[in-house]
Amino acid sequence: MELKEFIPVWRDLTPAQQEQLASGASKRTVQKGTVIHSGSLDCTGLLLVECGQLRAYILSDEGREITLYRLLDRDICLFSASCIMRSIQFEVMITAEREATLWVIPPEVFKSVMEQSAPLANYTNEVMAGRFSDVMWLMEQIMWKSFDKRLAAFLLEESALEETPVLKITHEAIANHLGTAREVVTRMLRYFQSEGMVKLARGTVEITDAGKLQQMTCCPFHRRWLIR
Amino acid sequence: MELKEFIPVWRDLTPAQQEQLASGASKRTVQKGTVIHSGSLDCTGLLLVECGQLRAYILSDEGREITLYRLLDRDICLFSASCIMRSIQFEVMITAEREATLWVIPPEVFKSVMEQSAPLANYTNEVMAGRFSDVMWLMEQIMWKSFDKRLAAFLLEESALEETPVLKITHEAIANHLGTAREVVTRMLRYFQSEGMVKLARGTVEITDAGKLQQMTCCPFHRRWLIR
């Protein structure tokens, strides 16, 4: 997949700008589990996901985590280039949840073209607005939704991403996605099991009644992905 | 105060672009309590705050609220023009907390100039990144900070905004700022009172020991304003 396929405004760039991006960009493959970006001190550059799955999350001083959003095929990660905007004052971590192939555009290259090109700057605006919407969605979930609904939605989302009802995931990992403690996850999963919605085994959570889980979530199933 | 003083990139606009913004903009005074913007159906336009105080918040289906950020003198409100970006998929409410004088730039006027002008598009990017940082700060507070710390920080912030230790605010209003229930606020304020940090009376909360409240918050006092 070529670089220009990721950038819908490619044709609105001048040949010189296209050349600047193309010659600056490089392709990189990262293994599952790799920490690609770690907060604002680390200005990795703009990431364009050719294939794979990245996870963007925040980390508390005490080491607690919460997933902000996932980046899938064709997604663009802006916050790995947060140094290009001085108003970005927060720290996002990015790791590969699966092996991924990425285009990386160095921050100074992207910034230089964005400063000249209204189409690229406006496109960047749209990308940021999309991530902002993801985070606002998450904030609404945390504020207004009870944990059982969030957990049900998470299990359904994972099952859709992994394309299987048998999720290989620990309670600890679920807790890190949802920003809570492991015990809270374990207690709720046991309740789900008693209601026949899941079946628990060592290291796996099997969804046995997706319809019932679905009913628990008030919103259409993984709306967060659908609005992209 | 003239329009051009709000827009740091004014000089980088062409005379025609300047004229487009200037002739489209209008000045408006809103009374305290006015709902200026109400979700995405309402595309008010870009708001430039000459003086006054606006509050941006989200609202749950059940009518619960949480304050996202305040807009003060010289601040720019982008989400009241959210229709200019299709990727903004969330609903923000904006009300005047004090009488305010605003410049309003109609959304289609701003959009048209932004589409032509790389400097204006990049500036808009910075404004959005700043708001994004405010919201991420809030998310971290909600996720990782206990309610006593958030309440202490809120009281100090209000006192700084109002320039008085005697806050005329109901427990209900505080609950709406912090996204919780009135009872939770009342209980914690009573605890603060028993510790000598505040004095409660009908309709007021008086800060009697700002230093002790300060100690409760882990972070430098109203960091959210300082990073602007």
Side-chain angles (χ1 to χ4, degrees):
Chain A
M1 196 166 152
E2 283 186 85
L3 190 65
K4 63 181 178 189
E5 294 174 66
F6 285 98
I7 300 175
V9 296
W10 187 263
R11 285 185 190 188
D12 303 318
L13 302 175
T14 65
Q17 290 165 350
Q18 292 175 352
E19 172 56 25
Q20 228 180 316
L21 292 178
S23 65
S26 59
K27 221 174 203 175
R28 190 173 147 192
T29 300
V30 291
Q31 297 309 308
K32 181 176 168 168
T34 310
V35 176
I36 299 169
H37 179 76
S38 168
S40 61
L41 291 173
D42 190 13
C43 204
T44 319
L46 207 79
L47 303 176
L48 315 169
V49 184
E50 187 168 301
C51 63
Q53 182 175 320
L54 310 186
R55 170 181 175 237
Y57 62 101
I58 52 174
L59 198 60
S60 77
D61 296 339
E62 292 78 31
R64 287 177 61 193
E65 302 181 358
I66 184 169
T67 300
L68 295 178
Y69 48 79
R70 258 75 171 265
L71 296 158
L72 305 175
D73 298 1
R74 312 185 76 94
D75 276 340
I76 292 187
C77 182
L78 197 58
F79 294 121
S80 50
S82 60
C83 57
I84 66 174
M85 272 178 252
R86 62 179 175 72
S87 308
I88 295 181
Q89 299 273 350
F90 53 92
E91 312 271 321
V92 171
M93 310 283 295
I94 297 157
T95 56
E97 285 192 312
R98 294 184 191 186
E99 183 182 289
T101 306
L102 314 166
W103 282 98
V104 184
I105 304 178
E108 64 284 1
V109 170
F110 191 78
K111 188 177 182 183
S112 150
V113 179
M114 189 173 78
E115 279 173 354
Q116 305 155 36
S117 163
L120 191 64
N122 278 291
Y123 176 64
T124 306
N125 250 321
E126 287 289 347
V127 172
M128 181 154 41
R131 295 295 163 251
F132 205 153
S133 299
D134 286 344
V135 168
M136 289 300 297
W137 178 89
L138 178 60
M139 170 94 91
E140 288 172 0
Q141 297 287 307
I142 293 168
M143 291 303 301
W144 323 128
K145 266 200 161 180
S146 55
F147 181 69
D148 55 347
K149 289 179 178 164
R150 289 179 60 214
L151 180 59
F154 174 79
L155 295 176
L156 291 169
E157 189 176 294
E158 281 300 299
S159 170
L161 279 171
E162 300 291 335
E163 299 175 348
T164 167
V166 185
L167 305 173
K168 286 190 185 142
I169 191 165
T170 63
H171 300 189
E172 180 75 32
I174 297 174
N176 283 342
H177 277 293
L178 298 176
T180 188
R182 188 192 53 74
E183 297 73 23
V184 176
V185 172
T186 299
R187 200 182 315 130
M188 191 62 78
L189 282 174
R190 285 193 185 139
Y191 166 73
F192 283 6
Q193 181 166 253
S194 72
E195 293 288 308
M197 295 185 275
V198 302
K199 205 172 133 187
L200 304 177
R202 184 168 290 273
T204 65
V205 178
E206 182 181 355
I207 296 177
T208 48
D209 192 340
K212 209 165 167 185
L213 274 182
Q214 186 55 60
Q215 278 179 355
M216 287 199 64
T217 70
C218 77
C219 308
F221 168 35
H222 59 124
R223 178 192 148 212
R224 197 166 150 205
W225 304 110
L226 295 177
I227 60 172
R228 284 260 177 94
Chain B
M1 196 165 151
E2 284 185 83
L3 190 64
K4 63 181 178 186
E5 295 174 64
F6 286 97
I7 300 176
V9 295
W10 187 262
R11 286 185 189 188
D12 303 319
L13 302 176
T14 66
Q17 290 164 349
Q18 292 176 351
E19 172 56 25
Q20 229 181 315
L21 292 178
S23 65
S26 59
K27 221 174 201 174
R28 189 172 148 193
T29 300
V30 290
Q31 297 308 307
K32 182 176 168 167
T34 310
V35 176
I36 299 170
H37 179 76
S38 167
S40 62
L41 291 172
D42 190 14
C43 203
T44 318
L46 207 78
L47 303 175
L48 315 170
V49 184
E50 187 167 302
C51 63
Q53 183 173 319
L54 311 185
R55 170 181 174 237
Y57 62 102
I58 52 173
L59 197 60
S60 77
D61 295 339
E62 292 79 29
R64 286 177 62 193
E65 302 180 359
I66 184 168
T67 300
L68 295 178
Y69 48 79
R70 260 75 170 265
L71 296 158
L72 305 174
D73 299 2
R74 312 185 75 94
D75 276 340
I76 292 187
C77 183
L78 197 60
F79 294 121
S80 50
S82 59
C83 58
I84 65 174
M85 273 178 253
R86 63 181 172 72
S87 308
I88 295 182
Q89 299 273 351
F90 53 91
E91 312 271 321
V92 171
M93 310 283 296
I94 296 156
T95 56
E97 284 192 312
R98 295 184 189 184
E99 184 183 286
T101 306
L102 314 166
W103 282 98
V104 184
I105 304 178
E108 65 283 3
V109 170
F110 190 78
K111 188 177 183 184
S112 150
V113 179
M114 190 173 77
E115 279 173 354
Q116 305 155 34
S117 163
L120 192 63
N122 279 291
Y123 176 63
T124 306
N125 251 321
E126 287 288 347
V127 172
M128 182 155 38
R131 297 292 164 254
F132 204 154
S133 299
D134 287 344
V135 168
M136 290 300 296
W137 179 90
L138 178 60
M139 170 94 90
E140 287 172 0
Q141 297 288 307
I142 293 168
M143 291 304 300
W144 324 128
K145 266 198 160 184
S146 55
F147 182 69
D148 54 348
K149 289 179 178 163
R150 289 179 59 215
L151 180 59
F154 175 78
L155 295 176
L156 291 169
E157 189 176 294
E158 280 302 297
S159 171
L161 279 171
E162 301 291 335
E163 298 175 347
T164 167
V166 185
L167 305 174
K168 286 189 185 143
I169 191 165
T170 64
H171 300 189
E172 180 76 32
I174 297 174
N176 284 342
H177 277 293
L178 298 177
T180 187
R182 189 191 54 72
E183 297 71 25
V184 176
V185 173
T186 299
R187 201 182 315 130
M188 193 61 80
L189 283 174
R190 284 192 185 139
Y191 167 72
F192 283 7
Q193 182 166 253
S194 73
E195 293 287 307
M197 294 185 274
V198 302
K199 205 173 131 187
L200 304 177
R202 184 168 291 275
T204 65
V205 178
E206 182 181 355
I207 296 177
T208 49
D209 192 340
K212 208 165 167 185
L213 275 182
Q214 186 55 61
Q215 278 179 355
M216 288 198 62
T217 70
C218 78
C219 308
F221 167 34
H222 59 126
R223 178 193 147 211
R224 196 164 149 208
W225 305 110
L226 295 177
I227 59 170
R228 284 260 178 94

